[in-house]
Amino acid sequence: NAGVTQTPKFRILKIGQSMTLQCTQDMNHNYMYWYRQDPGMGLKLIYYSVGAGITDKGEVPNGYNVSRSTTEDFPLRLELAAPSQTSVYFCASNFGQTQPQHFGDGTRLSIL
Amino acid sequence: KNQVEQSPQSLIILEGKNCTLQCNYTVSPFSNLRWYKQDTGRGPVSLTIMTFSENTKSNGRYTATLDADTKQSSLHITASQLSDSASYICVVTRNTNAGKSTFGDGTTLTVKP
């Protein structure tokens, strides 16, 4: 069982560049989430999706975009990278809000 | 404001000892409370999940308690092992929107031999 797979694991970007963080899950979960975790801080929700074609903003959506064309995939797009977006990004999924979330191992992103 | 406060921020114990981590929250309306373990460089892994009607839940050497009246939860670790060294995160979900969970900043536990 692969669970939740995130790619890449590490990335360095220059200010103003764009990139897409990939997330895929093989558990047929309807709900998927993107979080960022800054050092010593709790996870902050960026965007979430309750099913294919449905997405909504979390606490800190500015500077990011998402899409959900399939149940399995939930990519996160950074259009104009800024130093404030340096963080560790986690993707998660579950069957619903009463179920535990399954997390990927994160993408460590540095913007210089 | 919906908040989750965890204490202590960090804790060092000797292998074999017990410890208790605390979580206080102001999230409302309440749906469920979860404890996660996050090893360094890895994603969080679920330990327990409790709804309003549950006041205790165990997972091996981990036992979580919930007092919904005082909005407090604790995670008790029994007979600690070196592999318990990790960050423990308390997460509270509101009973309104599927995506809106509030994460605590975590307690970093170090177990020494």
Side-chain angles (χ1 to χ4, degrees):
Chain A
N1 258 352
V4 178
T5 302
Q6 292 185 238
T7 57
K9 294 188 184 303
F10 304 92
R11 185 71 184 269
I12 298 175
L13 282 182
K14 293 182 179 179
I15 296 172
Q17 286 186 320
S18 61
M19 77 163 293
T20 299
L21 282 65
Q22 301 291 344
C23 175
T24 187
Q25 53 94 6
D26 62 358
M27 296 170 283
N28 204 30
H29 288 161
N30 288 330
Y31 294 71
M32 296 188 73
Y33 312 82
W34 274 106
Y35 297 93
R36 60 177 288 172
Q37 186 177 34
D38 298 327
M41 304 292 288
L43 278 75
K44 302 293 185 187
L45 181 65
I46 305 171
Y47 271 95
Y48 69 98
S49 169
V50 300
I54 306 169
T55 63
D56 204 352
K57 296 178 180 178
E59 296 176 75
V60 290
N62 291 342
Y64 307 95
N65 280 301
V66 294
S67 60
R68 184 95 183 271
S69 57
T70 67
T71 298
E72 295 79 16
D73 299 308
F74 191 39
L76 177 72
R77 178 91 179 154
L78 282 71
E79 291 294 349
L80 289 171
S84 61
Q85 294 177 305
T86 294
S87 190
V88 181
Y89 291 84
F90 287 100
C91 179
S93 70
N94 63 2
F95 282 118
Q97 73 177 62
T98 63
Q99 302 301 311
Q101 293 180 14
H102 296 257
F103 284 83
D105 280 338
T107 293
R108 283 144 188 83
L109 181 62
S110 293
I111 299 164
L112 307 174
Chain B
K1 185 178 179 181
N2 294 300
Q3 289 186 311
V4 175
E5 302 281 345
Q6 290 189 243
S7 62
Q9 187 174 10
S10 61
L11 181 63
I12 300 174
I13 62 173
L14 293 176
E15 186 178 15
K17 298 296 187 183
N18 303 335
C19 67
T20 300
L21 315 180
Q22 300 291 341
C23 174
N24 296 338
Y25 63 93
T26 59
V27 175
S28 181
F30 177 86
S31 173
N32 61 75
L33 184 145
R34 313 169 193 182
W35 283 94
Y36 287 85
K37 178 187 179 189
Q38 185 177 20
D39 293 318
T40 300
R42 305 296 301 272
V45 175
S46 179
L47 294 175
T48 62
I49 180 168
M50 289 181 291
T51 59
F52 185 87
S53 60
E54 298 172 298
N55 56 22
T56 187
K57 185 72 73 75
S58 291
N59 179 357
R61 294 181 296 102
Y62 300 101
T63 299
T65 64
L66 172 65
D67 186 334
D69 291 331
T70 61
K71 298 187 176 180
Q72 296 179 323
S73 176
S74 64
L75 180 69
H76 186 74
I77 305 174
T78 304
S80 61
Q81 300 176 358
L82 298 178
S83 59
D84 292 332
S85 294
S87 178
Y88 292 84
I89 303 171
C90 176
V91 184
V92 182
T93 299
R94 283 189 286 158
N95 189 25
T96 52
N97 189 309
K100 302 296 175 68
S101 294
T102 303
F103 286 70
D105 290 344
T107 292
T108 300
L109 174 65
T110 302
V111 180
K112 294 197 168 184

